[in-house]
Amino acid sequence: MICVKNLKKSFESSQGTIDVLNDITTNVDKGEKIAIIGPSGAGKSVFLRCLNGLEKPTSGEVFFNGQCITEPGCDMNIIRRQIGMVFQQFNLFPHLTIRQNITLVPTTLKLKSKDEANEIAESLLKRVGLLNKADSYPAQLSGGQKQRVAIVRAMAMNPKVMLFDEPTSALDPEMVGEVLSVMKDLANDGMTMLVVTHEMSFAKEVATRVLFMEKGKIISDDIPEHLFNKSDNARVREFLSKIL
Amino acid sequence: MKKLVNSLLFTLLLTLLFNVVEQNLIKAEDKKQINVATNAEFGPFEYKDGNDIVGIDIDIAKYIVDKMGADINIIDISFDALILELKNHTCDFAIAAMSKNDEKENSVDFSDPYFIAKQDVILPIDSEIKSPGELNGKRIGVHLGTTGDSYCTNNFKDSEIHRYKNGAEAVMDLVNGRLDAVVIDDLPARMLIEKNNRSVKKMDGHLFKEEYRIVVPKGEIELLYRINTILTEMKSTGKIDEIVEKYTKESSKSNNSLINQIYNNLIYKERYMGIVQGLITTLKITVVALIIGLILGVATALIKVSKDNNLLMKFLNIIANTYLSVIKGTPMVVQLFVIYYLILGSSGLDKILVAMISFGINSGAYVSDIIRAGILSVDVGQTEAGRSLGLNSRQTMMKIVFPQALKNSMPTLCNEFINLLKETSVAGFIGIMDLSKAGEVIRSQTYEPLVPLLSVAIIYFSITQSVVWLMSLLERRLRKSDMR
């Protein structure tokens, strides 16, 4: 479904050029749930953002369903409708109600009529237990509730794949669970997911594959049982021993 | 927004329409009409009373034209333009308390004098100055552009000359100790001294005399002869004295009590109407300028924050940057003059319309900065969220970023509106009767600055306070989404 070839990304800074992604090549098949872990500064988020074009790679190619989306002529706006993204900071639109947050894009892009969009929003909100908040504003919600709405907002576009960029990192600990359970539901429904996370329990329980990134490279690509118990990579073992 | 645009267009159309009607009225020439030019800013000789131009000179001119068996058409233009108007034969004669000088005599002809004005010196009551010679080196207040001004400038080389737009303000400063003497025509001087008889006095004798004459285009000998004949008759029959008497008596009736001043400045001769009309003009200019400013400001702000890098955007960016730096780098008055006299000078557009455009252009630059700051204050995550859902950059701006930016900018936009309202007070510089100018006109008629100044200040203050109050209501509604 997603095919990444020799992806490189570097930033210019006062200390010279920094290579954030250094030659990443990997594949994501339909239905896979991939956890991306690793120390901060490893390039996990940048990698994720390259997949929907929020970052422009310096070189390399990304294919989505066989279409090269790193080509200059590619209409990213069409591609992005099929790739949902959930951010660490939720990024709900504060001037709109929850209902409007969810229906804004489908109606603006004329993908759905107002009534249809509304129906979808309500059924999705019901699924995450937030139907009673439909006409509240984001400021009236807790962090966990906001993130659940953000997931619903992305889901309302009926995406083929969902990208999660540290979805629980900005949450108070007692709210992490409610967001993870929504994500687990999504995984059980067969959604293709890429999740940058520090939640090792999620990586262990839900992921079908775990990518370990460090210094812009994928240094381990493994199934969770193997990675968490008897990884043959010393660096991975060291990292896990620190956080577990 | 559509309604706004419609009402803007309506106002524009209306102003244009008035313009056309006005011009046609002037053009409707009658053979027997005589055009008389004056500069109605020098009471009691010529000044505006409401919409009428009145004064000693005007009555004399009316008498002369009447004797000639013609109808009078009075043209009010700036003092500097009078000679030009005569040269171009766009008027038949000019009467504006003008006196002879060599420079002028080369291009126009002068009648016999119809009035001898004496320049008097007003002194503080306890002043020890006794003769004109002692004035050199003192701080002297004069009426800007009058012969008193040039006389003092030429003769008292060591003095600080303070130039005022009207005599009453000069005398206020004299009373407050900022001046040592005020030099002004004897007629206004007489009234000013009467109003302030506890604090000022007249210096004995006159500083110098000057003779007021009617001015005609060079070579109009026949016209000059007829004018001189009528003037001689007016002098011998006492007609001129009668007219002068009429205009100088009126003000000496009043005394200094506050009630009396309020009556004299606001109610007498319905002077408050001038303020009401000025207020309407000020509001019209402010509101239309605000709309123009918002349109310009939002457009330039959007151009400046746009990330598109094509040739058109680069070009628009250069234009926007030039516009912003020119407008923010020069004073409003200068911009008004440049637009009124140079850019739209020959367009024949109504003054008020020109003012609306000028203030709109000026305000647009500040609105642009406000909106741009508002846009930049919206978290970049908002744009990313919009884009990641599949909106293009324009949709993201219009649906997500701009509404938040506008809300963030509301308090500053409200300030800009208030600034704009106050800034329009310079419209008087191009002869618009706005609120400030209306106050000024009353001041020049009554020689009492207190009541007109305070009235105008109170009106400005009430408007700005209501705007602040309205904005706080609006903000409260907009903040609905922030309440927890």
Side-chain angles (χ1 to χ4, degrees), chain B residues 230-248:
Chain B
I230 298 167
L231 281 178
T232 313
E233 179 227 304
M234 289 174 83
K235 277 182 242 173
S236 62
T237 58
K239 183 70 192 167
I240 290 188
D241 291 341
E242 189 187 308
I243 293 172
V244 170
E245 186 89 340
K246 173 180 157 197
Y247 280 97
T248 47

Side-chain angles (χ1 to χ4, degrees), chain B residues 98-113:
Chain B
M98 293 161 96
S99 47
K100 227 183 213 180
N101 71 29
D102 300 341
E103 208 179 305
K104 284 181 198 155
E105 201 154 26
N106 288 328
S107 42
V108 290
D109 282 330
F110 289 90
S111 75
D112 295 340

Side-chain angles (χ1 to χ4, degrees), chain B residues 376-412:
Chain B
L376 295 180
S377 76
V378 175
D379 186 65
V380 67
Q382 293 289 311
T383 309
E384 288 185 349
R387 296 306 304 274
S388 78
L389 287 163
L391 295 180
N392 64 29
S393 62
R394 203 179 52 84
Q395 290 162 332
T396 309
M397 176 56 75
M398 295 329 287
K399 295 276 182 182
I400 295 165
V401 178
F402 190 71
Q404 297 182 51
L406 199 62
K407 191 177 102 176
N408 293 347
S409 315
M410 247 344 153
T412 355

Side-chain angles (χ1 to χ4, degrees), chain B residues 153-420:
Chain B
T153 312
N154 291 329
N155 290 283
F156 305 131
K157 301 264 189 222
D158 300 332
S159 287
E160 272 177 49
I161 310 286
H162 298 251
R163 295 172 182 83
Y164 293 83
K165 287 199 86 176
N166 71 52
E169 283 160 17
V171 171
M172 280 289 272
D173 266 2
L174 184 72
V175 172
N176 293 335
R178 296 197 189 100
L179 296 174
D180 300 313
V182 170
V183 170
I184 196 156
D185 270 39
D186 67 336
L187 272 185
R190 199 189 302 164
M191 287 186 256
L192 286 166
I193 291 167
E194 262 167 39
K195 303 262 180 199
N196 301 283
N197 54 11
R198 260 174 253 144
S199 38
V200 301
K201 64 179 183 190
K202 182 180 158 314
M203 192 177 79
D204 291 337
H206 304 296
L207 185 61
F208 71 95
K209 291 179 181 178
E210 71 178 314
E211 297 169 329
Y212 291 161
R213 297 158 191 270
I214 291 170
V215 193
V216 299
K218 193 89 190 162
E220 292 279 348
I221 306 200
E222 196 189 332
L223 177 66
L224 196 61
Y225 177 76
R226 286 176 74 188
I227 290 175
N228 279 339
T229 316
I230 298 167
L231 281 178
T232 313
E233 179 227 304
M234 289 174 83
K235 277 182 242 173
S236 62
T237 58
K239 183 70 192 167
I240 290 188
D241 291 341
E242 189 187 308
I243 293 172
V244 170
E245 186 89 340
K246 173 180 157 197
Y247 280 97
T248 47
K249 237 184 171 173
E250 170 208 309
S251 62
S252 50
K253 279 184 295 197
S254 62
N255 68 34
N256 264 339
S257 82
L258 184 64
I259 300 289
N260 230 299
Q261 283 198 30
I262 290 174
Y263 175 80
N264 201 22
N265 282 283
L266 297 179
I267 297 157
Y268 183 64
K269 284 192 171 176
E270 297 195 329
R271 281 185 172 135
Y272 69 90
M273 277 313 291
I275 290 195
V276 170
Q277 277 161 5
L279 171 63
I280 292 170
T281 306
T282 291
L283 288 177
K284 263 204 260 176
I285 295 175
T286 310
V287 169
V288 177
L290 181 80
I291 295 165
I292 298 175
L294 275 175
I295 295 170
L296 275 176
V298 169
T300 45
L302 289 179
I303 290 170
K304 287 204 69 167
V305 297
S306 165
K307 296 227 164 50
D308 289 353
N309 221 359
N310 56 37
L311 215 61
L312 176 71
M313 279 323 278
K314 274 185 188 155
F315 176 70
L316 287 176
N317 238 303
I318 292 171
I319 296 203
N321 281 329
T322 315
Y323 161 65
L324 293 181
S325 44
V326 167
I327 295 299
K328 287 190 291 179
T330 53
M332 180 63 232
V333 192
V334 177
Q335 291 164 20
L336 185 64
F337 278 141
V338 169
I339 294 176
Y340 183 66
Y341 288 109
L342 302 180
I343 299 174
L344 294 176
S346 54
S347 67
L349 285 181
D350 183 77
K351 276 179 188 185
I352 294 187
L353 190 59
V354 174
M356 288 167 175
I357 296 170
S358 309
F359 287 108
I361 290 174
N362 177 272
S363 180
Y366 296 95
V367 171
S368 174
D369 274 3
I370 293 167
I371 299 281
R372 196 166 69 100
I375 290 173
L376 295 180
S377 76
V378 175
D379 186 65
V380 67
Q382 293 289 311
T383 309
E384 288 185 349
R387 296 306 304 274
S388 78
L389 287 163
L391 295 180
N392 64 29
S393 62
R394 203 179 52 84
Q395 290 162 332
T396 309
M397 176 56 75
M398 295 329 287
K399 295 276 182 182
I400 295 165
V401 178
F402 190 71
Q404 297 182 51
L406 199 62
K407 191 177 102 176
N408 293 347
S409 315
M410 247 344 153
T412 355
L413 278 177
C414 166
N415 276 341
E416 171 54 23
F417 178 69
I418 289 170
N419 273 336
L420 179 62

Side-chain angles (χ1 to χ4, degrees), chain A:
Chain A
M1 180 177 255
I2 296 175
C3 182
V4 181
K5 277 185 190 163
N6 306 107
L7 195 65
K8 287 188 182 173
K9 171 81 187 174
S10 45
F11 289 114
E12 298 295 331
S13 84
S14 51
Q15 281 100 35
T17 309
I18 299 170
D19 294 322
V20 190
L21 295 182
N22 201 350
D23 205 7
I24 304 249
T25 298
T26 188
N27 271 311
V28 181
D29 291 331
K30 190 167 188 305
E32 274 195 295
K33 295 109 186 55
I34 298 179
I36 303 167
I37 62 170
S40 58
K44 308 181 296 287
S45 289
V46 177
F47 169 59
L48 205 65
R49 291 155 60 87
C50 280
L51 299 183
N52 70 349
L54 285 185
E55 298 288 351
K56 284 232 173 314
T58 314
S59 69
E61 289 167 315
V62 178
F63 293 88
F64 180 77
N65 281 339
Q67 187 183 357
C68 181
I69 63 169
T70 39
E71 267 178 358
C74 175
D75 186 353
M76 277 316 287
N77 296 325
I78 304 278
I79 303 290
R80 285 189 185 125
R81 294 177 194 175
Q82 308 169 57
I83 306 178
M85 183 153 192
V86 175
F87 299 86
Q88 182 179 354
Q89 297 297 339
F90 330 129
N91 294 345
L92 294 184
F93 309 133
H95 60 301
L96 301 177
T97 62
I98 300 309
R99 186 191 303 277
Q100 290 165 332
N101 262 277
I102 300 166
T103 57
L104 174 76
V105 179
T107 51
T108 302
L109 294 177
K110 302 205 164 58
L111 302 173
K112 297 273 181 332
S113 73
K114 214 176 166 189
D115 290 341
E116 279 174 318
N118 206 14
E119 224 167 87
I120 293 169
E122 285 183 1
S123 76
L124 286 171
L125 281 174
K126 202 171 173 189
R127 241 179 90 183
V128 300
L130 288 174
L131 187 54
N132 60 335
K133 299 286 183 189
D135 296 305
S136 306
Y137 283 93
Q140 297 161 318
L141 268 56
S142 73
Q145 291 172 328
K146 282 185 204 172
Q147 196 59 300
R148 278 142 71 193
V149 171
I151 295 171
V152 165
R153 184 176 68 181
M155 289 303 297
M157 296 297 293
N158 199 16
K160 305 257 182 349
V161 55
M162 289 280 286
L163 311 178
F164 293 85
D165 189 1
E166 303 200 22
T168 56
S169 301
L171 296 176
D172 290 338
E174 75 266 27
M175 292 173 181
V176 171
E178 58 190 75
V179 172
L180 286 183
S181 90
V182 170
M183 290 169 65
K184 278 177 197 165
D185 266 5
L186 218 55
N188 291 338
D189 283 0
M191 176 59 71
T192 312
M193 296 163 72
L194 281 94
V195 186
V196 171
T197 187
H198 295 294
E199 286 298 322
M200 292 308 142
S201 63
F202 180 81
K204 267 185 206 165
E205 293 167 32
V206 183
T208 54
R209 240 170 97 195
V210 181
L211 300 184
F212 186 94
M213 284 184 70
E214 187 170 48
K215 292 180 183 154
K217 286 183 193 268
I218 298 175
I219 61 169
S220 162
D221 181 352
D222 212 342
I223 54 166
E225 295 80 10
H226 191 252
L227 179 112
F228 284 104
N229 298 324
K230 39 188 188 273
S231 175
D232 24 59
N233 189 312
R235 181 68 193 99
V236 174
R237 284 200 305 272
E238 184 198 339
F239 176 78
L240 292 176
S241 70
K242 272 189 203 153
I243 59 167
L244 288 179

